[in-house]
Every structure is written in structure tokens, then in C-alpha cells.
Amino acid sequence: MKKIIKYIISISLLLVPLTAEAIERLVVTFPLSFGLVYIMGLSDKVVGMPTQKLRIKDGKLGPFYSHYSPNLASATDIGFTGAVNIETVISLQPDLVISSETITGAKDNTKLLRENGIKVLEVKAGMGTVKDWLDTVKKSCSDAGLSHRAEIYCSLWEKNLKIVNKHLAKIPQNKRVKVTLINSNGGNITVRGSRSTFCIDLIKLAGGIVMEGKEDPRDSAACAELVYKFDPDVVIDDFSTTNNIPSWINHLTAVKNGRVYPIPYDDKQAWITIWTFNTYSPLGLLWLAKNFYPKEFDDVNLEKAHEEFCVSIFGSNFISKSDK
């Protein structure tokens, strides 16, 4: 009988609509969803998260976290999606847990949490395409009673996309640049392809032509032959912390013309600030387009766009240390 009563109480708690005012204690188990916390305006409510996965060690915060969410220094490490310490999460008495909808083990954890009367917001793993990401933002904010936050973010995305489309309309298809996405971290080249769904989609929206079909590298180690044949006009370096481009690509048109661009970020500790990752993608779109077509996008001020993004989403400007 006690188990039945406990089950009924748990279900009744889940039937109560979630409101923003009710979220005072937030736990995040899914690292890829951490940017949602800032879009939802709940970064100051986080009491538990996967600190190791989010590069926070011994409570030491980099400039981004220190500026926008200094409370993270005292947040409890709860493991990460698929290996969550359920006892720790329950002991934190969260009003809401953000978890994964698809990762192995997450479903079992969600079931246990809900049986203990804890509300869980499940989001898609990976976030897929740009559209998938924006749909996730809308649904997550709606489920948390924060639809107005999604409107702010998505409106900014739509505004920047309109700017890009307006400029691209003046550039014929046969004048579009060929783009290769790589990661050169440690001097070892990985050629990105369709498996890097989000960034590849972003490159296409910015007017870049990528390798497709049989030539699609699908994220692989140094596909030299494919890259030589494609001979890109632009190379985008996917978050290299070393900027150590190996000599074997020096003959490419992009390298000869000095058109190899490391993706900017606001804080290397806070990987959500990488401009081509989902959270910062409204800026990443503009940055890509401006680097693809500098003359046509000469009127686009990235510094101003960055300030608008930070003020709109985070509430105040942040002086980035990276080179835009």
C-alpha cells in the first residue's frame, strides 16, 4: 500500500504544470544541453551538473562562467548522462532535471527520478541540424514555462539568417566558395563530414559548398586524396587549440590564399561558447558568411553582433578574448 501511495503522489506531482517561478534548483545531466540553461535564463539555478565533462575542475571557473554564472563553482558533480549518481541528484532536491531523451541509460535514470517525484525535461541527444536545435530550444523552453526566452533566441537566429540570405542572393551559385571543415588539434588532421551534422548544416546556410555524396569524408582521419581533389577555397578549423596546421595541406588553394580560419570562441573552458556549436550558432552563421564572402559581407559588424547576442541571451556584454 505504501508503494502504491508513493507512486500516486509521484504521478500527481508530475501533473502539476512546470513554471519558471517554480525552478529554483536545477540539475543538468546532459552536457550537450548545457547551453539551454543560459538560453532559458536559469544558469544561476544550477546546483548539480557533470563538472568534469564541462571542464570545471576543483570549482575553478574561466572568464565566461565567472562572468555569467559564478554559482557553478559550488555546483555538485553528479556524473553525466548514462552514468548519473542518482542518489546525489535526489539529495540535491532539484525542481527540474535536464537529461537526454536517447542516450543509453538515461531513460532508466529518468524513470527513477520521476518515481521520486522529480520533474525531468528530456532533450534530444546531439541536437542534429540547425532546425532540430531550434525545435529543441522551443520545446524545452515551452515545457519549462519559458517560451518567451525561446522567442528571444529564435528571433535573433531568424534576424541573422535573413541578413545572410539577403547578401547571398547577390552571389551566383557558381561563385560560391568550396569549404572543408577540419580539426587540426595536436597537428593531426580530421576531415569533418556529414557526421558533424550541425556545423556542416551551418556552413551550407552561410553559403558554403561542402563535399557530399561519395566524396563525403564522414569525419575521418586525413582524407588527403579527397581534400586534394576537392581543393577548397576556404578551410574552417573546428576548434583547434593549437592552430598547428600540418604541412601536407600547404598546397591547397585555401592555404595558399591564407583562407584557413580557426573557429572563434569566448572561453576555451566553456565549450558552449564555440561560435559554431549550437548555443552560439546565430553568431557562427554570420562569422562563417563573412569569412566566405568578405567583400559582400563587409557591412556586417561581428563585434556589434556579438554584443547584441550576449546582452539578449546572457543579460550583459562579455568581452571575448578570442580573435574574431
Side-chain angles (χ1 to χ4, degrees):
M1 178 64 73
K2 289 183 178 179
K3 288 185 177 179
I4 294 175
I5 293 173
K6 180 180 178 182
Y7 180 75
I8 292 173
I9 291 173
S10 297
I11 292 298
S12 65
L13 285 169
L14 293 174
L15 292 176
V16 177
L18 188 63
T19 63
E21 293 76 17
I23 305 172
E24 289 297 328
R25 298 179 64 79
L26 175 65
V27 170
V28 182
T29 70
F30 181 33
L32 276 178
S33 69
F34 204 64
L36 284 172
V37 172
Y38 290 88
I39 292 171
M40 296 163 79
L42 298 175
S43 62
D44 62 334
K45 309 296 184 183
V46 176
V47 294
M49 62 183 188
T51 57
Q52 296 302 310
K53 288 286 184 179
L54 291 170
R55 299 180 180 173
I56 297 175
K57 186 176 181 181
D58 301 325
K60 295 180 180 178
L61 306 180
F64 179 84
Y65 291 141
S66 295
H67 184 80
Y68 291 118
S69 44
N71 56 293
L72 297 185
S74 59
T76 300
D77 186 8
I78 48 81
F80 54 93
T81 303
V84 171
N85 188 319
I86 292 294
E87 290 78 10
T88 298
V89 174
I90 293 173
S91 72
L92 291 171
Q93 299 181 311
D95 302 305
L96 178 67
V97 173
I98 297 180
S99 185
S100 169
E101 188 178 89
T102 57
I103 288 181
T104 303
K107 284 288 184 183
D108 291 337
N109 291 333
T110 294
K111 184 172 181 258
L112 285 170
L113 291 170
R114 285 176 173 165
E115 286 175 351
N116 281 273
I118 297 173
K119 295 180 185 295
V120 181
L121 178 62
E122 295 178 277
V123 298
K124 289 183 179 180
M127 310 296 184
T129 64
V130 168
K131 182 182 183 303
D132 292 335
W133 162 241
L134 295 177
D135 286 345
T136 296
V137 170
K138 292 172 185 175
K139 185 179 185 304
S140 300
C141 289
S142 176
D143 290 349
L146 292 160
S147 293
H148 65 287
R149 296 289 304 180
E151 290 175 9
I152 293 171
Y153 183 83
C154 293
S155 292
L156 187 56
W157 227 108
E158 291 168 7
K159 174 185 175 182
N160 288 355
L161 183 59
K162 285 180 180 178
I163 291 172
V164 169
N165 286 338
K166 179 181 178 181
H167 288 67
L168 289 180
K170 303 172 185 176
I171 305 172
Q173 194 66 32
N174 63 357
K175 298 293 184 181
R176 302 287 174 93
V177 297
K178 295 184 294 181
V179 182
T180 293
L181 178 66
I182 67 168
N183 183 289
S184 68
N185 214 8
N188 299 311
I189 288 287
T190 297
V191 182
R192 304 294 197 186
S194 58
R195 290 184 63 189
S196 296
T197 307
F198 190 87
C199 194
I200 292 296
D201 193 25
L202 203 61
I203 287 172
K204 291 179 180 179
L205 289 173
I209 298 172
V210 299
M211 288 185 281
E212 295 185 292
K214 292 181 180 179
E215 295 185 343
D216 174 21
R218 292 183 56 79
D219 288 22
S220 58
C223 294
E225 187 176 344
L226 287 177
V227 178
Y228 293 165
K229 182 179 178 181
F230 187 63
D231 193 19
D233 304 296
V234 174
V235 170
I236 299 298
D237 196 357
D238 179 8
F239 194 45
S240 168
T241 56
T242 61
N243 298 333
N244 183 17
I245 306 294
S247 59
W248 69 263
I249 68 169
N250 283 343
H251 77 289
L252 295 176
T253 297
V255 179
K256 290 178 180 178
N257 293 335
R259 302 196 69 186
V260 178
Y261 306 112
I263 295 171
Y265 54 88
D266 281 2
D267 180 354
K268 66 181 179 180
Q269 181 194 48
W271 48 260
I272 68 166
T273 70
I274 301 171
W275 280 33
T276 56
F277 274 27
N278 46 33
T279 307
Y280 266 63
S281 56
L283 284 178
L285 178 68
L286 291 179
W287 176 81
L288 287 168
K290 189 174 177 69
N291 279 295
F292 294 168
Y293 310 103
K295 182 183 293 185
E296 289 81 359
F297 284 82
D298 181 60
D299 62 326
V300 173
N301 186 324
L302 290 178
E303 184 176 343
K304 183 178 179 181
H306 179 265
E307 180 176 354
E308 179 185 16
F309 175 80
C310 290
V311 172
S312 298
I313 307 305
F314 307 130
S316 64
N317 194 22
F318 177 74
I319 306 301
S320 171
K321 303 300 180 183
S322 61
D323 180 14
K324 301 301 184 298

PDB file of all heavy atoms in Angstrom, residues 179-181 192-205 208 210-212 216 219:
ATOM      1  N   VAL A 179      34.138  24.682 -49.259  1.00  0.00           N
ATOM      2  CA  VAL A 179      34.593  24.747 -47.868  1.00  0.00           C
ATOM      3  C   VAL A 179      34.870  23.347 -47.331  1.00  0.00           C
ATOM      4  O   VAL A 179      34.066  22.424 -47.517  1.00  0.00           O
ATOM      5  CB  VAL A 179      33.530  25.422 -46.974  1.00  0.00           C
ATOM      6  CG1 VAL A 179      34.034  25.538 -45.534  1.00  0.00           C
ATOM      7  CG2 VAL A 179      33.155  26.798 -47.522  1.00  0.00           C
ATOM      8  N   THR A 180      36.007  23.194 -46.669  1.00  0.00           N
ATOM      9  CA  THR A 180      36.314  21.954 -45.962  1.00  0.00           C
ATOM     10  C   THR A 180      36.435  22.251 -44.475  1.00  0.00           C
ATOM     11  O   THR A 180      37.125  23.200 -44.078  1.00  0.00           O
ATOM     12  CB  THR A 180      37.622  21.318 -46.474  1.00  0.00           C
ATOM     13  OG1 THR A 180      37.433  20.889 -47.819  1.00  0.00           O
ATOM     14  CG2 THR A 180      38.009  20.108 -45.628  1.00  0.00           C
ATOM     15  N   LEU A 181      35.758  21.461 -43.683  1.00  0.00           N
ATOM     16  CA  LEU A 181      35.802  21.585 -42.225  1.00  0.00           C
ATOM     17  C   LEU A 181      36.765  20.548 -41.682  1.00  0.00           C
ATOM     18  O   LEU A 181      36.635  19.357 -41.973  1.00  0.00           O
ATOM     19  CB  LEU A 181      34.403  21.366 -41.643  1.00  0.00           C
ATOM     20  CG  LEU A 181      34.263  21.405 -40.116  1.00  0.00           C
ATOM     21  CD1 LEU A 181      34.554  22.797 -39.576  1.00  0.00           C
ATOM     22  CD2 LEU A 181      32.857  20.943 -39.713  1.00  0.00           C
ATOM     23  N   ARG A 192      36.151  16.763 -41.357  1.00  0.00           N
ATOM     24  CA  ARG A 192      34.761  16.650 -40.927  1.00  0.00           C
ATOM     25  C   ARG A 192      33.843  16.447 -42.128  1.00  0.00           C
ATOM     26  O   ARG A 192      34.092  16.982 -43.202  1.00  0.00           O
ATOM     27  CB  ARG A 192      34.322  17.904 -40.174  1.00  0.00           C
ATOM     28  CG  ARG A 192      35.183  18.263 -38.972  1.00  0.00           C
ATOM     29  CD  ARG A 192      35.077  17.233 -37.889  1.00  0.00           C
ATOM     30  NE  ARG A 192      35.557  17.771 -36.619  1.00  0.00           N
ATOM     31  CZ  ARG A 192      35.694  17.056 -35.518  1.00  0.00           C
ATOM     32  NH1 ARG A 192      35.385  15.771 -35.517  1.00  0.00           N
ATOM     33  NH2 ARG A 192      36.130  17.606 -34.403  1.00  0.00           N
ATOM     34  N   GLY A 193      32.781  15.694 -41.899  1.00  0.00           N
ATOM     35  CA  GLY A 193      31.818  15.458 -42.959  1.00  0.00           C
ATOM     36  C   GLY A 193      30.413  15.425 -42.405  1.00  0.00           C
ATOM     37  O   GLY A 193      30.105  16.106 -41.421  1.00  0.00           O
ATOM     38  N   SER A 194      29.572  14.606 -42.984  1.00  0.00           N
ATOM     39  CA  SER A 194      28.149  14.606 -42.639  1.00  0.00           C
ATOM     40  C   SER A 194      27.872  14.206 -41.193  1.00  0.00           C
ATOM     41  O   SER A 194      26.814  14.517 -40.656  1.00  0.00           O
ATOM     42  CB  SER A 194      27.378  13.673 -43.579  1.00  0.00           C
ATOM     43  OG  SER A 194      27.893  12.352 -43.513  1.00  0.00           O
ATOM     44  N   ARG A 195      28.805  13.522 -40.547  1.00  0.00           N
ATOM     45  CA  ARG A 195      28.586  13.164 -39.138  1.00  0.00           C
ATOM     46  C   ARG A 195      28.646  14.396 -38.237  1.00  0.00           C
ATOM     47  O   ARG A 195      28.108  14.385 -37.141  1.00  0.00           O
ATOM     48  CB  ARG A 195      29.607  12.120 -38.683  1.00  0.00           C
ATOM     49  CG  ARG A 195      29.384  10.742 -39.302  1.00  0.00           C
ATOM     50  CD  ARG A 195      30.344   9.720 -38.762  1.00  0.00           C
ATOM     51  NE  ARG A 195      30.159   9.520 -37.330  1.00  0.00           N
ATOM     52  CZ  ARG A 195      30.978   8.807 -36.574  1.00  0.00           C
ATOM     53  NH1 ARG A 195      32.041   8.235 -37.113  1.00  0.00           N
ATOM     54  NH2 ARG A 195      30.761   8.653 -35.281  1.00  0.00           N
ATOM     55  N   SER A 196      29.335  15.443 -38.692  1.00  0.00           N
ATOM     56  CA  SER A 196      29.343  16.717 -37.965  1.00  0.00           C
ATOM     57  C   SER A 196      28.138  17.524 -38.432  1.00  0.00           C
ATOM     58  O   SER A 196      28.253  18.614 -38.988  1.00  0.00           O
ATOM     59  CB  SER A 196      30.643  17.484 -38.224  1.00  0.00           C
ATOM     60  OG  SER A 196      31.745  16.780 -37.727  1.00  0.00           O
ATOM     61  N   THR A 197      26.961  16.950 -38.191  1.00  0.00           N
ATOM     62  CA  THR A 197      25.718  17.442 -38.788  1.00  0.00           C
ATOM     63  C   THR A 197      25.510  18.931 -38.602  1.00  0.00           C
ATOM     64  O   THR A 197      25.216  19.658 -39.554  1.00  0.00           O
ATOM     65  CB  THR A 197      24.511  16.686 -38.190  1.00  0.00           C
ATOM     66  OG1 THR A 197      24.734  15.289 -38.313  1.00  0.00           O
ATOM     67  CG2 THR A 197      23.225  17.070 -38.902  1.00  0.00           C
ATOM     68  N   PHE A 198      25.631  19.393 -37.372  1.00  0.00           N
ATOM     69  CA  PHE A 198      25.258  20.772 -37.079  1.00  0.00           C
ATOM     70  C   PHE A 198      26.145  21.777 -37.807  1.00  0.00           C
ATOM     71  O   PHE A 198      25.655  22.686 -38.478  1.00  0.00           O
ATOM     72  CB  PHE A 198      25.290  21.030 -35.575  1.00  0.00           C
ATOM     73  CG  PHE A 198      24.688  22.348 -35.196  1.00  0.00           C
ATOM     74  CD1 PHE A 198      23.328  22.456 -34.969  1.00  0.00           C
ATOM     75  CD2 PHE A 198      25.462  23.491 -35.086  1.00  0.00           C
ATOM     76  CE1 PHE A 198      22.751  23.680 -34.648  1.00  0.00           C
ATOM     77  CE2 PHE A 198      24.900  24.714 -34.765  1.00  0.00           C
ATOM     78  CZ  PHE A 198      23.540  24.815 -34.547  1.00  0.00           C
ATOM     79  N   CYS A 199      27.454  21.607 -37.673  1.00  0.00           N
ATOM     80  CA  CYS A 199      28.369  22.589 -38.284  1.00  0.00           C
ATOM     81  C   CYS A 199      28.308  22.538 -39.803  1.00  0.00           C
ATOM     82  O   CYS A 199      28.381  23.585 -40.465  1.00  0.00           O
ATOM     83  CB  CYS A 199      29.796  22.354 -37.802  1.00  0.00           C
ATOM     84  SG  CYS A 199      30.908  23.732 -38.174  1.00  0.00           S
ATOM     85  N   ILE A 200      28.174  21.347 -40.363  1.00  0.00           N
ATOM     86  CA  ILE A 200      28.049  21.238 -41.819  1.00  0.00           C
ATOM     87  C   ILE A 200      26.787  21.953 -42.289  1.00  0.00           C
ATOM     88  O   ILE A 200      26.787  22.657 -43.306  1.00  0.00           O
ATOM     89  CB  ILE A 200      28.040  19.759 -42.259  1.00  0.00           C
ATOM     90  CG1 ILE A 200      29.408  19.113 -42.011  1.00  0.00           C
ATOM     91  CG2 ILE A 200      27.652  19.634 -43.728  1.00  0.00           C
ATOM     92  CD1 ILE A 200      30.550  19.697 -42.817  1.00  0.00           C
ATOM     93  N   ASP A 201      25.693  21.793 -41.558  1.00  0.00           N
ATOM     94  CA  ASP A 201      24.444  22.479 -41.890  1.00  0.00           C
ATOM     95  C   ASP A 201      24.632  23.989 -41.813  1.00  0.00           C
ATOM     96  O   ASP A 201      24.151  24.748 -42.666  1.00  0.00           O
ATOM     97  CB  ASP A 201      23.346  22.021 -40.930  1.00  0.00           C
ATOM     98  CG  ASP A 201      21.950  22.425 -41.393  1.00  0.00           C
ATOM     99  OD1 ASP A 201      21.753  22.616 -42.614  1.00  0.00           O
ATOM    100  OD2 ASP A 201      21.047  22.541 -40.543  1.00  0.00           O
ATOM    101  N   LEU A 202      25.356  24.439 -40.804  1.00  0.00           N
ATOM    102  CA  LEU A 202      25.614  25.867 -40.622  1.00  0.00           C
ATOM    103  C   LEU A 202      26.439  26.420 -41.785  1.00  0.00           C
ATOM    104  O   LEU A 202      26.173  27.526 -42.283  1.00  0.00           O
ATOM    105  CB  LEU A 202      26.343  26.080 -39.293  1.00  0.00           C
ATOM    106  CG  LEU A 202      26.250  27.458 -38.632  1.00  0.00           C
ATOM    107  CD1 LEU A 202      24.811  27.819 -38.291  1.00  0.00           C
ATOM    108  CD2 LEU A 202      27.114  27.481 -37.365  1.00  0.00           C
ATOM    109  N   ILE A 203      27.428  25.657 -42.229  1.00  0.00           N
ATOM    110  CA  ILE A 203      28.263  26.068 -43.358  1.00  0.00           C
ATOM    111  C   ILE A 203      27.415  26.232 -44.618  1.00  0.00           C
ATOM    112  O   ILE A 203      27.563  27.201 -45.375  1.00  0.00           O
ATOM    113  CB  ILE A 203      29.395  25.047 -43.593  1.00  0.00           C
ATOM    114  CG1 ILE A 203      30.448  25.176 -42.488  1.00  0.00           C
ATOM    115  CG2 ILE A 203      30.037  25.244 -44.969  1.00  0.00           C
ATOM    116  CD1 ILE A 203      31.506  24.085 -42.510  1.00  0.00           C
ATOM    117  N   LYS A 204      26.508  25.295 -44.835  1.00  0.00           N
ATOM    118  CA  LYS A 204      25.626  25.382 -46.005  1.00  0.00           C
ATOM    119  C   LYS A 204      24.731  26.610 -45.933  1.00  0.00           C
ATOM    120  O   LYS A 204      24.543  27.320 -46.928  1.00  0.00           O
ATOM    121  CB  LYS A 204      24.770  24.122 -46.106  1.00  0.00           C
ATOM    122  CG  LYS A 204      25.532  22.862 -46.476  1.00  0.00           C
ATOM    123  CD  LYS A 204      24.570  21.674 -46.519  1.00  0.00           C
ATOM    124  CE  LYS A 204      25.261  20.387 -46.881  1.00  0.00           C
ATOM    125  NZ  LYS A 204      24.309  19.250 -46.902  1.00  0.00           N
ATOM    126  N   LEU A 205      24.170  26.887 -44.756  1.00  0.00           N
ATOM    127  CA  LEU A 205      23.316  28.060 -44.588  1.00  0.00           C
ATOM    128  C   LEU A 205      24.092  29.354 -44.815  1.00  0.00           C
ATOM    129  O   LEU A 205      23.528  30.353 -45.254  1.00  0.00           O
ATOM    130  CB  LEU A 205      22.689  28.073 -43.190  1.00  0.00           C
ATOM    131  CG  LEU A 205      21.601  27.031 -42.914  1.00  0.00           C
ATOM    132  CD1 LEU A 205      21.196  27.057 -41.443  1.00  0.00           C
ATOM    133  CD2 LEU A 205      20.378  27.273 -43.796  1.00  0.00           C
ATOM    134  N   GLY A 208      28.321  28.111 -48.046  1.00  0.00           N
ATOM    135  CA  GLY A 208      29.463  27.292 -48.424  1.00  0.00           C
ATOM    136  C   GLY A 208      29.050  25.998 -49.103  1.00  0.00           C
ATOM    137  O   GLY A 208      27.984  25.458 -48.827  1.00  0.00           O
ATOM    138  N   VAL A 210      30.059  22.115 -49.572  1.00  0.00           N
ATOM    139  CA  VAL A 210      30.851  21.089 -48.887  1.00  0.00           C
ATOM    140  C   VAL A 210      30.911  19.815 -49.726  1.00  0.00           C
ATOM    141  O   VAL A 210      30.143  19.628 -50.667  1.00  0.00           O
ATOM    142  CB  VAL A 210      30.257  20.768 -47.498  1.00  0.00           C
ATOM    143  CG1 VAL A 210      30.267  21.998 -46.610  1.00  0.00           C
ATOM    144  CG2 VAL A 210      28.838  20.213 -47.620  1.00  0.00           C
ATOM    145  N   MET A 211      31.835  18.927 -49.358  1.00  0.00           N
ATOM    146  CA  MET A 211      31.931  17.632 -50.029  1.00  0.00           C
ATOM    147  C   MET A 211      30.712  16.797 -49.679  1.00  0.00           C
ATOM    148  O   MET A 211      30.347  16.678 -48.504  1.00  0.00           O
ATOM    149  CB  MET A 211      33.204  16.908 -49.594  1.00  0.00           C
ATOM    150  CG  MET A 211      34.471  17.506 -50.155  1.00  0.00           C
ATOM    151  SD  MET A 211      35.960  16.540 -49.728  1.00  0.00           S
ATOM    152  CE  MET A 211      36.241  17.094 -48.047  1.00  0.00           C
ATOM    153  N   GLU A 212      30.085  16.219 -50.690  1.00  0.00           N
ATOM    154  CA  GLU A 212      28.895  15.414 -50.449  1.00  0.00           C
ATOM    155  C   GLU A 212      28.940  14.148 -51.294  1.00  0.00           C
ATOM    156  O   GLU A 212      29.879  13.928 -52.063  1.00  0.00           O
ATOM    157  CB  GLU A 212      27.631  16.222 -50.771  1.00  0.00           C
ATOM    158  CG  GLU A 212      27.444  17.408 -49.844  1.00  0.00           C
ATOM    159  CD  GLU A 212      26.135  18.140 -50.065  1.00  0.00           C
ATOM    160  OE1 GLU A 212      25.989  18.760 -51.138  1.00  0.00           O
ATOM    161  OE2 GLU A 212      25.276  18.091 -49.178  1.00  0.00           O
ATOM    162  N   ASP A 216      31.938  12.511 -49.485  1.00  0.00           N
ATOM    163  CA  ASP A 216      31.709  12.906 -48.098  1.00  0.00           C
ATOM    164  C   ASP A 216      32.639  12.129 -47.175  1.00  0.00           C
ATOM    165  O   ASP A 216      32.563  10.898 -47.100  1.00  0.00           O
ATOM    166  CB  ASP A 216      30.249  12.621 -47.734  1.00  0.00           C
ATOM    167  CG  ASP A 216      29.952  12.860 -46.258  1.00  0.00           C
ATOM    168  OD1 ASP A 216      30.719  13.604 -45.610  1.00  0.00           O
ATOM    169  OD2 ASP A 216      28.972  12.286 -45.764  1.00  0.00           O
ATOM    170  N   ASP A 219      33.731  12.496 -41.267  1.00  0.00           N
ATOM    171  CA  ASP A 219      34.607  12.622 -40.097  1.00  0.00           C
ATOM    172  C   ASP A 219      35.648  11.511 -40.076  1.00  0.00           C
ATOM    173  O   ASP A 219      35.447  10.464 -39.455  1.00  0.00           O
ATOM    174  CB  ASP A 219      33.816  12.585 -38.790  1.00  0.00           C
ATOM    175  CG  ASP A 219      33.020  13.845 -38.561  1.00  0.00           C
ATOM    176  OD1 ASP A 219      32.738  14.533 -39.554  1.00  0.00           O
ATOM    177  OD2 ASP A 219      32.677  14.121 -37.417  1.00  0.00           O
TER     178      ASP A 219
END
